[in-house]
Amino acid sequence: LLAKKIPGIRLILLGSGPIEKELRRLAEESGAGGRIDFQAGVPLSRVYELHKKMKESRLFVSLQDNGYESIISYEAMACGVPVLLCDRKGRLEYVEKGYAQAIGDPENHEAVMEKMLEMLANPDEYTPKNPKIHSWDEITEAMSGIFKKILKAD
């Protein structure tokens, strides 16, 4: 759908999984196969390559409905890329803080496309401004506090 609205647009699908074969088939059947670059995941030793690609991108989209922001979403925000996430329950912290945008139903392809077009047309409005991304030390301390509370409750 997006390729019809923005000629020459390219998509990078990073990683692999159980639906990769189906995605490749759909890409070829739709005629968009030449504009979609399927790439394997990037090992931690080469994460700088991922960050370089992110910084060169105009938009980062992750429509996995897992109920939380993924590490890669944080990395995209830190790279200064507009971020679109799936948020069916309306509880994602970085969406609430305005660092990312959300779509409630990733199955609604028209709504996803419209949101992507809006974000691509207005990058300054949707680029994260000084996001507060927690360090590993902050995350470890917070998790330690949660575990201590759980252990005291037992």
Side-chain angles (χ1 to χ4, degrees), residues 17-84:
I19 64 169
E20 180 182 359
K21 191 174 182 177
E22 175 70 6
L23 290 174
R24 287 180 181 272
R25 184 187 63 74
L26 289 170
E28 289 307 316
E29 285 178 6
S30 71
R35 288 185 254 163
I36 300 174
D37 184 7
F38 288 87
Q39 296 186 5
V42 177
L44 192 55
S45 64
R46 293 183 18 230
V47 75
Y48 64 91
E49 294 174 25
L50 172 65
H51 295 158
K52 182 178 183 298
K53 284 181 183 183
M54 282 183 181
K55 289 177 183 179
E56 294 169 351
S57 299
R58 295 174 51 204
L59 181 63
F60 174 85
V61 179
S62 177
L63 298 178
Q64 295 178 30
D65 187 16
N66 51 20
Y68 61 90
E69 296 98 335
S70 61
I71 297 292
I72 196 165
S73 300
Y74 296 152
E75 291 172 317
M77 288 177 232
C79 288
V81 178
V83 173
L84 178 61

Side-chain angles (χ1 to χ4, degrees), residues 80-92:
V81 178
V83 173
L84 178 61
L85 303 171
C86 173
D87 188 10
R88 287 187 195 265
K89 296 180 181 159
R91 295 187 307 197
L92 296 183

